[in-house]
Amino acid sequence: VALVLALRKLMGKGTLSRLPVTGHVAAISVGIVENTGLLDLAYDEDSRAEVDMNVIKTSDGRYVEIQGTAETVPFGRDRLNELLDLADVGIASLIDQQRQVLGGLV
């Protein structure tokens, strides 16, 4: 959001002729704490997490980064899918908030 606001200011001054940002991007943490999938872990949850993961996606659904660690015991594909689904909910909410603040990017 801050980047787009700054770039729009440059466009207003004539420094840029068009906005070089073509879409939204958001990042969120997910994890498993006490065998429960959690979204946007707080520090105390993160420090107790059995699995800790960061997910970054674009508004059109493409992944920028997935970084996950089994802090205690390895996890299976079913838990991975659960965490990615949970991350999708959080990322969709963040991108919606970006759209509310910024409106369209074009």
Side-chain angles (χ1 to χ4, degrees):
V1 171
L3 172 64
V4 171
L5 293 175
L7 292 172
R8 284 182 177 165
K9 198 173 228 182
L10 291 174
M11 288 176 62
K13 292 180 179 180
T15 306
L16 291 176
S17 60
R18 65 176 183 79
L19 189 64
V21 176
T22 60
H24 298 273
V25 65
I28 195 102
S29 66
V30 291
I32 299 172
V33 178
E34 297 176 3
N35 206 32
T36 302
L38 297 178
L39 178 64
D40 196 18
L41 279 70
Y43 175 79
D44 66 311
E45 295 165 331
D46 187 81
S47 64
R48 297 181 291 121
E50 295 125 47
V51 176
D52 180 23
M53 182 177 291
N54 299 309
V55 180
I56 306 169
K57 287 182 80 173
T58 62
S59 56
D60 62 359
R62 294 178 296 149
Y63 291 99
V64 174
E65 180 178 357
I66 302 172
Q67 182 275 321
T69 303
E71 301 288 353
T72 57
V73 178
F75 59 99
R77 181 65 176 259
D78 56 334
R79 295 310 300 254
L80 174 63
N81 290 339
E82 175 189 340
L83 291 173
L84 291 176
D85 289 345
L86 194 55
D88 281 350
V89 170
I91 288 172
S93 175
L94 291 170
I95 289 174
D96 182 54
Q97 291 175 50
Q98 290 176 20
R99 287 184 172 130
Q100 289 177 32
V101 171
L102 298 173
L105 290 178
V106 181

